[in-house]
Amino acid sequence: MAKLVEIITANRLRDGAVVYWNQDGWTGTLADAEQFSDKDACAAALTKAQERVKAGEVVNPYRFEARLDHTIAVPVKERELIRASGPSIHPELGKQADPSTAPRFRIAAPAKPPRPKQAEGPEAFDVSL
Amino acid sequence: MYRYDEFDARLVSERVEQFARQIERRLKGELSEDEFKPLRLMNGLYLQLHAYMLRVAIPYGTLSSSQLHMLAHVARRYDKGYGHFTTRQNIQYHWPRLIDVPEILRDLASVQMHSLQTSGNCIRNVTADQFAGAAADEIEDPRILAEIVRQWSSLHPEFSFLPRKFKIAVSGTPEDRAAVRFHDIGIEIIRSDHGETGYRVFVGGGMGRTPYLGLCIADFVAREDILAYLEAILRVYNMEGRRDNIFKARIKILVNALGLDNMRARVWREFEEIKKEGSLNLPEQERARIAAYFAPPEFEPLPDTCLEFETACSGDGDFAAWSRHNLSPHRAPGYAIVTVSLKPVGGVPGDCSADQMDGLVQLMDEFGIAEIRVTHEQNLVLPHVRKKDLPALHDQLERLGLASPNSGLASDIICCPGLDYCDLANARSIPIAQDLSRRFSDLDRQEEIGELKIKMSGCINACGHHHAGHIGILGVDKKGVEFYQLQLGGSGAEDATIAEIIGPAFSKDEIVDAVERVITAYLRLRQPGERFLDCYRRLGLEPFKNVAYLEQLHAAY
Ligand code: SF4
């Protein structure tokens, strides 16, 4: 099983951008985020990160889980995958649009590609009352 | 259209400067986040997944061309070149920077726009039928009352801290395009047997976690009494509404707990008190003053049939298809109401680029159209268009990518922003809507299916009105993975009903197929002339449920 790590994230106060905790400050790129495998270390860092709210740097820091794929942290939850990338419907917007902030993974396509009009599927159903 | 009086203008600009100063203090660390957040929300500024989101009020969905131009300017200058029109007839910007918000609000104030009352536990922006002042069967322009309510409720000292948010909608026609029975208060303008115009009032409707249809609390409220009556309802709610549990704080829960008769009696007692004081009587003179702002433009005397138009309609080209679905009857001969679809195949429902907005502004100027409307179905409406202008207007809409001929059809999907933007979301909604719209993109197939309202939300808050969808889809989260609940048989129209959940949720790879199977079943089971909704009402859930899950059953065995 892939190893789980924790990452601390927040939104930057002045523009709302997604940021990640790294050592003693913030980075806009998930790939540069500090990965915590120790719960206590993560909790200690979160306390420090929370102090930055007062200073007017960020809003609402919290931690989330990611799976380590080699060294790349891939968030477990869809929400964090999307925060790390940008709207899945607009690949030209958000972090994913800029090579310097783009995550090193891709969000799975949300659904199957459309079927051509004359689909064979629905014809096969027997609709009984 | 309504213009701010001096009081409104001063109030808005004072609020902007106050908020600018509050932002400055927050950035300096002088205000804590806990202190700042409520102030931010009071000004319509939310924090979402990737950025802030600014919600700008569009009272009763009506915009002048200069206001639309300003919305385009804001999108271009401060955002990423587009805006998102919502089911509340508002516009949301998904990328503003906090540091730019004062400038944005100043720009908006210059065209009498703001973001007040788009958030918080107050009476929110009042919504109304998008065909107001144009619909052939209209009794009275619903925006007159909507504006009266706006003035009465704007920063009302007694009602600025209600148990929960409060939404009011007004419809002026028997056909309900404002979903009045899904609002905290829904008002239907009616005419009595004696020919007197008044209001039927519904209370306690709503969506969200516990959907309810509004119940008729008053069959007929006279014009001069309406504010007193509304105030009475709000008073009872303000006093009795629960404040201990956010999920039980809306008026629908109170109405249900008290029972309609009891609620009606209490409201009546308050109403009599308020009447005695007499301060909330609405003098006819004042009503007429506000009504004058909504006087329709002077319509040219035109014959109702227009040869150029009829000829263009009789072809089999794109114009004919568009005219079949996107035009509605106008009260003035020779005119039509145009629905501008914001649902291109595979597009994001409700999104509109700055260039499209400015293109519409140009087109409005060219064809002498003073107003444009935002619909709760996330489309736009040009309310007064000469039939003879329609072919040329259609050409221009086509150039702007705004001529999708799908109003009221399967690909005219209501969809909330969902997990692609929204902090509260459980699942993405837009990609599913896009796939459905591609799946049903063929116009012949959509026409064969006929009227179909698909509505989709990314969480239980139901901004995408899934409870009111003929087919409703709700995104849910199962251990961080997106799933989709299918609901059938809802309606937000005059035949309002709440959709029923058919069973366990589908995965994101299954939901579009399941919807298609349900629709295919309908095509086989329907009787002549039956819409999906009628067919569902006749047959019930079972046959549709069976086909929706059929493929999974096959896979399981
Ligand atoms: S329904 Fe939920 S996910 Fe959709 S916009 Fe509303 S709060 Fe966000």
Side-chain angles (χ1 to χ4, degrees):
Chain A
M1 229 177 77
K3 188 177 161 203
L4 283 180
V5 293
E6 281 188 297
I7 288 170
I8 295 171
T9 185
N11 288 74
R12 195 157 55 201
L13 176 71
R14 65 195 304 276
D15 60 3
V18 173
V19 289
Y20 301 97
W21 183 256
N22 183 5
Q23 308 294 334
D24 211 19
W26 301 98
T27 167
T29 311
L30 177 58
D32 297 335
E34 192 169 345
Q35 300 169 355
F36 295 93
S37 21
D38 179 84
K39 294 243 172 252
D40 294 339
C42 185
L46 185 58
T47 308
K48 271 210 256 172
Q50 267 149 355
E51 279 159 23
R52 306 298 178 89
V53 177
K54 241 177 274 158
E57 272 179 29
V58 294
V59 181
N60 187 29
Y62 62 92
R63 53 216 258 192
F64 67 87
E65 277 187 333
R67 258 182 220 106
L68 269 195
D69 182 356
H70 301 285
T71 58
I72 299 171
V74 183
V76 172
K77 292 208 166 172
E78 200 74 43
R79 171 192 163 90
E80 294 305 330
L81 290 168
I82 291 172
R83 282 181 82 246
S85 312
S88 67
I89 48 168
H90 280 304
E92 76 288 6
L93 299 181
K95 294 186 186 298
Q96 58 201 344
D98 177 351
S100 72
T101 53
R104 307 219 175 110
F105 53 80
R106 290 186 46 191
I107 301 184
K112 281 193 276 190
R115 273 205 304 240
K117 183 191 150 202
Q118 251 77 43
E120 62 301 332
E123 297 305 314
F125 303 124
D126 170 27
V127 181
S128 53
L129 291 180
Chain B
M1 99 181 239
Y2 183 73
R3 293 184 55 81
Y4 275 5
D5 58 20
E6 261 168 54
F7 170 77
D8 288 320
R10 201 178 56 233
L11 184 116
V12 168
S13 70
E14 280 173 8
R15 275 288 289 267
V16 171
E17 294 319 313
Q18 262 175 33
F19 187 44
R21 177 79 184 112
Q22 288 156 349
I23 291 175
E24 203 182 297
R25 290 178 63 206
R26 174 67 192 111
L27 288 166
K28 282 191 194 148
E30 291 172 15
L31 284 180
S32 74
E33 185 57 25
D34 289 345
E35 288 161 342
F36 179 67
K37 189 176 169 185
L39 300 171
R40 160 160 79 64
L41 290 173
M42 271 168 62
N43 287 281
L45 190 63
Y46 290 70
L47 183 58
Q48 302 234 310
L49 294 187
H50 315 289
Y52 290 95
M53 179 272 279
L54 181 68
R55 186 179 288 158
V56 179
I58 303 176
Y60 26 87
T62 298
L63 287 167
S64 67
S65 62
S66 58
Q67 288 175 325
L68 183 59
H69 177 57
M70 182 53 78
L71 294 183
H73 162 80
V74 169
R76 205 175 276 126
R77 169 107 180 247
Y78 305 102
D79 211 85
K80 293 193 188 285
Y82 67 100
H84 176 75
F85 289 104
T86 75
T87 52
R88 297 272 312 135
Q89 298 181 308
N90 291 326
I91 189 169
Q92 292 182 176
Y93 293 104
H94 284 132
W95 304 92
R97 303 188 302 175
L98 180 64
I99 49 174
D100 289 334
V101 169
E103 273 312 300
I104 300 176
L105 294 179
R106 280 181 202 119
D107 285 355
L108 290 169
S110 73
V111 291
Q112 310 193 344
M113 298 189 79
H114 59 75
S115 54
L116 305 179
Q117 289 178 288
T118 60
S119 166
N121 296 337
C122 60
I123 299 175
R124 300 283 186 92
N125 186 28
V126 180
T127 52
D129 179 5
Q130 64 268 17
F131 290 176
D137 56 348
E138 185 173 277
I139 296 168
E140 179 181 282
D141 189 323
R143 294 172 304 167
I144 302 167
L145 180 61
E147 174 54 27
I148 291 168
V149 171
R150 188 193 72 79
Q151 293 192 13
W152 158 76
S153 68
S154 278
L155 314 175
H156 192 303
E158 198 177 324
F159 305 139
S160 58
F161 187 58
L162 294 169
R164 212 46 196 106
K165 58 186 166 184
F166 205 90
K167 299 177 182 176
I168 301 179
V170 192
S171 164
T173 57
E175 217 177 300
D176 179 8
R177 284 172 290 265
V180 294
R181 293 194 62 196
F182 280 101
H183 285 74
D184 295 286
I185 291 181
I187 302 173
E188 185 190 345
I189 301 174
I190 52 170
R191 192 161 287 146
S192 74
D193 297 341
H194 317 293
E196 192 191 344
T197 302
Y199 309 105
R200 179 176 291 144
V201 181
F202 297 92
V203 70
M207 305 210 199
R209 187 174 293 252
T210 18
Y212 281 113
L213 288 180
L215 302 173
C216 182
I217 187 164
D219 250 331
F220 189 90
V221 177
R223 267 177 169 173
E224 71 269 17
D225 288 339
I226 187 67
L227 286 186
Y229 197 78
L230 295 181
E231 177 120 346
I233 296 178
L234 264 296
R235 264 195 197 168
V236 172
Y237 173 51
N238 208 20
M239 284 184 298
E240 308 282 338
R242 284 180 64 171
R243 291 175 186 263
D244 59 322
N245 180 342
I246 189 172
F247 298 121
K248 302 207 162 149
R250 295 288 288 268
I251 195 172
K252 59 190 175 185
I253 305 292
L254 177 67
V255 173
N256 216 266
L258 290 179
L260 181 63
D261 289 341
N262 199 351
M263 179 79 187
R264 188 182 284 129
R266 289 194 192 205
V267 168
W268 189 255
R269 276 205 295 278
E270 289 296 331
F271 173 69
E272 288 192 312
E273 284 297 308
I274 298 166
K275 280 284 279 182
K276 240 185 272 160
E277 290 164 27
S279 56
L280 269 173
N281 265 10
L282 181 65
E284 180 50 31
Q285 212 181 347
E286 176 59 10
R287 210 200 66 85
R289 187 183 71 84
I290 289 175
Y293 289 114
F294 299 99
E298 219 163 282
F299 298 120
E300 285 170 37
L302 294 169
D304 199 37
T305 41
C306 161
L307 197 62
E308 291 136 283
F309 169 67
E310 310 290 339
T311 318
C313 282
S314 62
D316 55 2
D318 293 343
F319 178 80
W322 178 78
S323 70
R324 277 200 297 282
H325 303 293
N326 294 39
L327 301 182
S328 306
H330 196 282
R331 67 207 292 180
Y335 281 78
I337 305 172
V338 171
T339 298
V340 177
S341 166
L342 296 180
K343 319 287 174 66
V345 173
V348 178
D351 273 14
C352 191
S353 73
D355 291 347
Q356 286 175 321
M357 292 184 218
D358 272 340
L360 284 165
V361 170
Q362 261 181 19
L363 173 157
M364 288 166 73
D365 292 345
E366 189 181 328
F367 293 100
I369 303 165
E371 289 173 10
I372 188 162
R373 311 277 174 74
V374 182
T375 82
H376 86 269
E377 295 187 325
Q378 298 178 290
N379 292 314
L380 299 173
V381 160
L382 297 167
H384 314 294
V385 184
R386 286 179 295 255
K387 283 185 181 170
K388 63 177 182 205
D389 291 338
L390 286 169
L393 184 127
H394 175 258
D395 281 353
Q396 300 213 20
L397 288 177
E398 234 170 15
R399 264 197 292 281
L400 294 169
L402 291 171
S404 303
N406 59 354
S407 177
L409 299 178
S411 62
D412 185 4
I413 300 168
I414 292 187
C415 178
C416 81
L419 192 55
D420 278 302
Y421 295 99
C422 177
D423 191 38
L424 303 171
N426 285 328
R428 278 174 289 174
S429 46
I430 299 168
I432 304 297
Q434 288 176 315
D435 274 353
L436 280 166
S437 124
R438 288 190 204 103
R439 184 70 66 86
F440 292 99
S441 60
D442 184 83
L443 188 63
D444 292 341
R445 190 178 184 201
Q446 291 194 67
E447 289 188 334
E448 193 196 349
I449 295 165
E451 186 192 282
L452 184 65
K453 309 262 181 187
I454 303 179
K455 307 189 182 192
M456 154 134 219
S457 309
C459 82
I460 196 70
N461 287 323
C463 304
H465 293 189
H466 61 276
H467 298 298
H470 297 181
I471 295 180
I473 303 170
L474 166 66
V476 293
D477 169 301
K478 289 194 185 172
K479 298 197 176 127
V481 181
E482 298 160 301
F483 275 82
Y484 297 92
Q485 216 175 56
L486 189 56
Q487 316 194 346
L488 300 176
S491 166
E494 58 283 1
D495 56 354
T497 43
I498 295 167
E500 295 171 276
I501 301 171
I502 73 163
F506 295 87
S507 76
K508 66 185 180 205
D509 293 330
E510 296 164 338
I511 181 68
V512 174
D513 290 342
V515 169
E516 187 174 32
R517 289 197 293 274
V518 165
I519 293 174
T520 308
Y522 149 68
L523 290 175
R524 296 204 179 162
L525 296 169
R526 71 176 168 188
Q527 291 177 350
E530 251 182 358
R531 301 173 301 164
F532 174 84
L533 185 62
D534 307 323
C535 181
Y536 176 83
R537 283 176 176 168
R538 179 171 56 84
L539 296 173
L541 193 70
E542 218 47 40
F544 298 101
K545 181 176 173 166
N546 291 344
V547 293
Y549 290 106
L550 199 61
E551 208 153 75
Q552 269 112 316
L553 287 179
H554 281 167
Y557 290 106

